[in-house]
C-alpha cells in the first residue's frame, strides 16, 4: 500500500514541491533522482575522478584499517577493495550515532542506499556501486543521540560529554544494558537483541566503533561499508578546501547568495557562519572565528595568526571539522559519490549548497529522499478495516480522524449543509426586497443572514460534539490504534527503535522491509508484518 508523500501532512511543502519537480526549485539541485539521470551522473563523476587514483587508494586503506576488528566482513571488505577501481562509485547516506541506532528511519536510510546500489548494478553492469553509511562521528550534540525509545519507555545513556561523539568512550553502557534488559520483551529474539547491544557497546571502546559494529551486524550480508571520516588521511585530501574556507569564507558567500533568493514560502534550514569549520580535539569541538586577522577558537583561550592556523591545518588536518554546511562538500571530495540519500530536513539543507559546490568545482550529487514506511501487523490492519477506516485515515490529526469516523457511523445526519442552503435561498428573496428600499435595510438583512448561518454552524458543532460523546467507545478504539502506529502523533519511523520489532521478528522483518521498498518509488509505503 502506497501514497504520494505530497498527500501526507508529515512532509514539508519544500519536499512536496521538490518531488513535484517545481520549476522554481530546479536551480537548487543538479539532477532529479530519475533512474535515467544516473548515467549522466556516472559520466560526470568519472571525469571528475579520472586522475584521482590516490584518493581511491587512501579511502580504501583508511577503511581497511577501520574494519580491522570487524568479524565476518567478506562482502564489505570486497566493496572496500572495489573502491580502488575507477569504475566503482558510491551511494551514500549519513546518520548520527544515536544510541542503538535511534529511530527506525536509520534502517530505512541504509536500506534505500543498499537497494539503490542493487538497482544501479542491474542498469549499469560494467560499473560497481558501493553502499556507504557515513557516521556523523564529529557531531558534538550528545543530547540528540543519548537515548532511544522502546515501546513507551525511553532508554537513556546519562553521562557528561564534550567533543565529537564518535570519540566518546562506551564506559557506562553496561548499566544502560541492565535497564534495557528489564523492559525488553520475552520474545524469541530478545536474546539476539541483547547480544547485538553487547557486541556493539561492550566490545568496543568508543561510540564510532560501537556503531560500526552494530550497523555491520545488521547489514553485513549486503556489503554495507561504514565510514568514519574523522581521519587525518582523509582530511588531508580536503585541506585545499579547508584552507579556502579559512582564508576566503567560500561557503559563507556562496550560501548567502543562495539564501538571498530563497523562495519565501520555505523555511531556511540552516544559516551559514562566516567560517564553517570547527576546531576539534578529544575534549571539545569549537567554532573557528576570524577577527581582525586572528583566528580564535570559541570559548577557549586558543588563537592563531593566519600563518599559524594554515600551518596547523597542514600538520594536523584531523583537528579541523566541517560543520553542517561544509560536511557535504567534504563527503563529495573524498568519495566517488553519485547520490546522497537523506530525510526531508537533510534534503532541505543540501538544497542550499548547489552554488557552493559550483564555486568549488565539485560535482553536486543527485539528492534522493529516503524511503519512508509504516510497519503494521496483520492484526492491526484487520482492526483498521473493522473500524470502517483506511490505514491512510490514521495519518490525520486526532480531531480530524474522530470527526470523519463520527460522520461515518452516526445514525443521524450531522451535516447541516441542506439547511444552510435553504436559509441562503430564503435570504436571497430578502436581498432582492432590500435592493428596492435603502442601504441600511440591505445591511440589516446581511447581518441577520450571517447571524443565522453562524447559529446553524454552532448547532452543527454541538451536535457533532454530542455524537462524539455518544460514540466515544468506538472513537477511543480508533485513537488507541492510531497511538500504537503513530506514537506521540508522529510517524512511527521517527519514534520507535528497531529493537521493538527485532525482538519479535528477528532479521526477517529487515528482509521484509528490503523487499518492500523501492528507493526510486517516491511514495510512502505501508508494510504488513
Amino acid at each position: 500500500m502506497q501514497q504520494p508523500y505530497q498527500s501526507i501532512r508529515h512532509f514539508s511543502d519544500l519536499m512536496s514541491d521538490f518531488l513535484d519537480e517545481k520549476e522554481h526549485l530546479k536551480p537548487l539541485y543538479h539532477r532529479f533522482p530519475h533512474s535515467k539521470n544516473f548515467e549522466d551522473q556516472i559520466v560526470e563523476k568519472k571525469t571528475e575522478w579520472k586522475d584521482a587514483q590516490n584518493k581511491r587508494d587512501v579511502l580504501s586503506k583508511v577503511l581497511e584499517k577501520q574494519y580491522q576488528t570487524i568479524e565476518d566482513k567478506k562482502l564489505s571488505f570486497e566493496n572496500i577493495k572495489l573502491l580502488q577501481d575507477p569504475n566503482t562509485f558510491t551511494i551514500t547516506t549519513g546518520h548520527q550515532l544515536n544510541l542503538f541506532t535511534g529511530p527506525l528511519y536509520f534502517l530505512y536510510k541504509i536500506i534505500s542506499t543498499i537497494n539503490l546500489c542493487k538497482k544501479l548494478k542491474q542498469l549499469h553492469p560494467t560499473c560497481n556501486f558501493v553502499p556507504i553509511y557515513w557516521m556523523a562521528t564529529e557531531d558534538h550534540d550528545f543530547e540528540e543521540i543519548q537515548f532511544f525509545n522502546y515501546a513507551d519507555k525511553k532508554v537513556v545513556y546519562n553521562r557528561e560529554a564534550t567533543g565529537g561523539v564518535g570519540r566518546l568512550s562506551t564506559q557506562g553502557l553496561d548499566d544502560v544494558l541492565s535497564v534495557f534488559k528489564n523492559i525488553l520483551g520475552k520474545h524469541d529474539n530478545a536474546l539476539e537483541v541483547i547480544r547485538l547491544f553487547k557486541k556493539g557497546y561492550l566490545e568496543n571502546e568508543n561510540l564510532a566503533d560501537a556503531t560500526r559494529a552494530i550497523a555491520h551486524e545488521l547489514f553485513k550480508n549486503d556489503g554495507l561499508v561504514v565510514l568514519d571520516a574523522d581521519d587525518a588521511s582523509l582530511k588531508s585530501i580536503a585541506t585545499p578546501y579547508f584552507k579556502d574556507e579559512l582564508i576566503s569564507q567560500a561557503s559563507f558567500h556562496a550560501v548567502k547568495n543562495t539564501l538571498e533568493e530563497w523562495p519565501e514560502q520555505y523555511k531556511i534550514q540552516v544559516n551559514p557562519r562566516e567560517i564553517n569549520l570547527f576546531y576539534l580535539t578529544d575534549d571539545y569541538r569549537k567554532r573557528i572565528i576570524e577577527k581582525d586577522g586572528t583566528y580564535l577558537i570559541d570559548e577557549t583561550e586558543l588563537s592563531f595568526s593566519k600563518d599559524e592556523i594554515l600551518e596547523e591545518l597542514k600538520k594536523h588536518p584531523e583537528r579541523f571539522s566541517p560543520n553542517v554546511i561544509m560536511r557535504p562538500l567534504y563527503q563529495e571530495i573524498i568519495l566517488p559519490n553519485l547520490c546522497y540519500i537523506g530525510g526531508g530536513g537533510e534534503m532541505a539543507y543540501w538544497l542550499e549548497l548547489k552554488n557552493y559546490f559550483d564555486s568549488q568545482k565539485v560535482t553536486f550529487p543527485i539528492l534522493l529522499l529516503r524511503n519512508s514506511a509504516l510497519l503494521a501487523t496483520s492484526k492491526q490492519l484487520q482492526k483498521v478495516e473493522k473500524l470502517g477506516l483506511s490505514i491512510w485515515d490514521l495519518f490525520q490529526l486526532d480531531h480530524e480522524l474522530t470527526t470523519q469516523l463520527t460522520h461515518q457511523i452516526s445514525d443521524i445526519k450531522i451535516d447541516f449543509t441542506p439547511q444552510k442552503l435553504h436559509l441562503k435561498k430564503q435570504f436571497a428573496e430578502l436581498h432582492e426586497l432590500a435592493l428596492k428600499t435603502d442601504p441600511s435595510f440591505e445591511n440589516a438583512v446581511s447581518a441577520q443572514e450571517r447571524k443565522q448561518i453562524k447559529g446553524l454552524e454552532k448547532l452543527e458543532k454541538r451536535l457533532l460534539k454530542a455524537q462524539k460523546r455518544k460514540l466515544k467507545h468506538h472513537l477511543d478504539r480508533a485513537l488507541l490504534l492510531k497511538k500504537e502506529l503513530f506514537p506521540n502523533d508522529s510517524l512511527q519511523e521517527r519514534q520507535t527503535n528497531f529493537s521493538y520489532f527485532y525482538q519479535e521478528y528477528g532479521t526477517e522483518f529487515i528482509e521484509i522491509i528490503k523487499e518492500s521498498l523501492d528507493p526510486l518509488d517516491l511514495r510512502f509505503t505501508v508494510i504488513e508484518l
Side-chain angles (χ1 to χ4, degrees):
M1 293 179 284
Q2 294 170 309
Q3 284 275 12
Y5 294 119
Q6 298 93 311
S7 67
I8 294 173
R9 66 181 173 93
H10 301 84
F11 293 85
S12 69
D13 290 342
L14 176 59
M15 280 303 96
S16 293
D17 290 348
F18 172 71
L19 295 173
D20 285 336
E21 298 183 68
K22 293 289 181 68
E23 282 296 324
H24 64 278
L25 289 179
K26 289 183 177 179
L28 301 179
Y29 59 90
H30 192 31
R31 294 185 176 95
F32 194 79
H34 295 302
S35 59
K36 63 183 179 181
N37 287 338
F38 279 88
E39 184 171 357
D40 288 339
Q41 193 76 12
I42 288 169
V43 171
E44 186 173 353
K45 198 67 180 183
K46 191 168 186 177
T47 301
E48 183 184 68
W49 275 62
K50 63 180 171 49
D51 298 318
Q53 190 58 48
N54 180 60
K55 285 205 291 187
R56 288 183 176 276
D57 292 342
V58 169
L59 176 63
S60 183
K61 186 176 179 180
V62 167
L63 284 165
E64 285 180 13
K65 184 178 179 182
Q66 292 183 358
Y67 268 74
Q68 276 183 345
T69 60
I70 294 291
E71 301 170 354
D72 196 10
K73 58 191 172 189
K74 183 177 182 290
L75 295 179
S76 297
F77 221 67
E78 285 176 2
N79 276 340
I80 289 170
K81 291 289 188 184
L82 277 176
L83 288 169
Q84 297 178 44
D85 186 332
N87 288 314
T88 297
F89 303 92
T90 62
I91 304 297
T92 303
T93 192
H95 195 65
Q96 295 171 294
L97 304 190
N98 296 73
L99 184 62
F100 212 37
T101 76
L104 263 172
Y105 67 77
F106 170 85
L107 297 188
Y108 301 156
K109 279 183 168 184
I110 292 177
I111 288 171
S112 298
T113 305
I114 289 167
N115 283 349
L116 182 56
C117 285
K118 291 177 180 177
K119 186 178 283 281
L120 290 175
K121 184 63 177 176
Q122 292 174 345
L123 295 172
H124 307 279
T126 61
C127 295
N128 307 304
F129 303 93
V130 175
I132 300 285
Y133 161 37
W134 178 294
M135 294 190 294
T137 55
E138 296 176 55
D139 283 3
H140 58 269
D141 195 343
F142 181 67
E143 290 182 359
E144 286 190 359
I145 69 160
Q146 69 176 139
F147 69 93
F148 67 91
N149 298 314
Y150 180 87
D152 59 349
K153 300 290 194 302
K154 189 172 185 177
V155 181
V156 183
Y157 179 25
N158 285 312
R159 59 161 294 170
E160 293 294 320
T162 57
V165 294
R167 302 184 185 187
L168 288 176
S169 80
T170 52
Q171 186 176 359
L173 277 158
D174 51 345
D175 295 330
V176 175
L177 177 58
S178 297
V179 172
F180 186 30
K181 279 181 180 178
N182 290 332
I183 63 173
L184 195 60
K186 303 296 183 184
H187 294 273
D188 294 343
N189 296 292
L191 290 177
E192 178 60 19
V193 172
I194 293 169
R195 184 196 71 80
L196 189 58
F197 192 100
K198 285 181 177 178
K199 190 168 188 65
Y201 296 113
L202 305 192
E203 296 180 14
N204 291 281
E205 294 183 356
N206 61 55
L207 291 189
D209 291 343
T211 304
R212 181 188 296 106
I214 292 169
H216 179 75
E217 279 295 301
L218 292 173
F219 296 104
K220 62 188 175 186
N221 294 327
D222 302 289
L224 179 70
V225 174
V226 182
L227 173 62
D228 179 3
D230 183 9
D231 179 272
S233 298
L234 295 177
K235 287 184 177 178
S236 292
I237 295 171
T239 51
Y241 301 89
F242 291 175
K243 179 179 178 181
D244 188 40
E245 180 69 11
L246 291 168
I247 295 173
S248 306
Q249 289 87 54
S251 64
F252 173 74
H253 296 297
V255 177
K256 183 171 178 286
N257 288 339
T258 297
L259 296 184
E260 285 174 355
E261 299 184 10
W262 191 254
E264 63 181 15
Q265 64 266 41
Y266 309 127
K267 175 187 174 185
I268 292 173
Q269 190 70 15
V270 60
N271 284 290
R273 301 189 184 279
E274 291 188 349
I275 295 177
N276 291 287
L277 284 170
F278 288 97
Y279 191 78
L280 177 67
T281 71
D282 288 341
D283 298 320
Y284 58 80
R285 184 178 185 239
K286 299 294 183 182
R287 287 175 54 204
I288 301 173
I289 302 169
E290 189 272 330
K291 188 173 182 181
D292 299 327
T294 299
Y295 291 81
L296 309 172
I297 308 305
D298 194 31
E299 298 179 343
T300 76
E301 295 182 359
L302 196 60
S303 66
F304 300 89
S305 68
K306 177 182 173 181
D307 289 341
E308 287 171 340
I309 202 162
L310 294 181
E311 185 64 19
E312 182 78 353
L313 174 62
K314 182 179 178 181
K315 288 183 177 179
H316 300 287
E318 72 279 3
R319 294 179 184 173
F320 292 79
S321 175
N323 74 353
V324 65
I325 292 288
M326 274 206 79
R327 189 209 68 78
L329 186 81
Y330 176 43
Q331 170 189 299
E332 298 300 310
I333 290 164
I334 65 174
L335 293 176
N337 196 49
L338 302 176
C339 174
Y340 184 76
I341 297 176
E346 291 172 282
M347 294 294 98
Y349 75 71
W350 272 87
L351 289 172
E352 298 180 18
L353 303 178
K354 175 69 164 49
N355 281 343
Y356 176 42
F357 272 71
D358 291 346
S359 73
Q360 301 299 298
K361 297 180 171 55
V362 176
T363 300
F364 197 68
I366 290 174
L367 300 179
L368 177 60
L369 186 65
R370 64 169 174 81
N371 286 125
S372 284
L374 172 68
L375 304 180
T377 65
S378 56
K379 186 176 181 181
Q380 288 171 324
L381 293 175
Q382 286 168 9
K383 286 181 180 179
V384 173
E385 190 175 345
K386 285 181 180 178
L387 286 165
L389 295 169
S390 155
I391 188 66
W392 305 107
D393 293 329
L394 299 186
F395 284 73
Q396 300 178 91
L397 293 167
D398 285 1
H399 74 88
E400 293 171 339
L401 175 62
T402 55
T403 296
Q404 175 195 323
L405 196 51
T406 302
H407 280 285
Q408 283 181 206
I409 64 176
S410 174
D411 54 3
I412 59 173
K413 194 175 178 72
I414 304 171
D415 184 7
F416 281 14
T417 300
Q419 289 85 350
K420 293 174 194 173
L421 291 173
H422 180 68
L423 190 64
K424 284 181 180 291
K425 186 177 179 181
Q426 288 182 319
F427 270 95
E429 296 175 3
L430 288 173
H431 282 297
E432 286 182 17
L433 181 62
L435 290 173
K436 298 175 183 177
T437 56
D438 60 70
S440 63
F441 186 57
E442 166 64 17
N443 292 338
V445 169
S446 295
Q448 188 64 27
E449 180 181 13
R450 287 194 298 273
K451 181 179 179 181
Q452 293 200 31
I453 291 291
K454 193 172 182 180
L456 278 176
E457 289 173 345
K458 191 173 181 181
L459 284 173
E460 188 177 40
K461 287 178 182 177
R462 288 187 65 179
L463 180 58
L464 175 63
K465 192 173 181 180
Q467 284 299 91
K468 282 185 176 181
R469 284 196 301 268
K470 182 179 178 181
L471 302 170
K472 185 177 185 301
H473 177 68
H474 195 97
L475 300 182
D476 283 350
R477 284 164 54 208
L479 290 175
L480 183 62
L481 181 57
K482 178 177 182 285
K483 187 178 179 181
E484 286 178 18
L485 293 169
F486 297 83
N488 298 321
D489 194 34
S490 178
L491 289 177
Q492 176 195 71
E493 63 183 38
R494 299 177 186 173
Q495 298 288 323
T496 307
N497 183 257
F498 83 98
S499 60
Y500 181 75
F501 296 96
Y502 196 101
Q503 53 90 27
E504 183 166 355
Y505 299 99
T507 57
E508 180 187 353
F509 98 97
I510 297 179
E511 295 306 314
I512 292 172
I513 295 171
K514 286 180 196 172
E515 292 168 7
S516 303
L517 298 179
D518 177 348
L520 298 180
D521 186 346
L522 301 176
R523 293 181 295 172
F524 193 100
T525 304
V526 176
I527 300 174
E528 182 176 351
L529 295 178

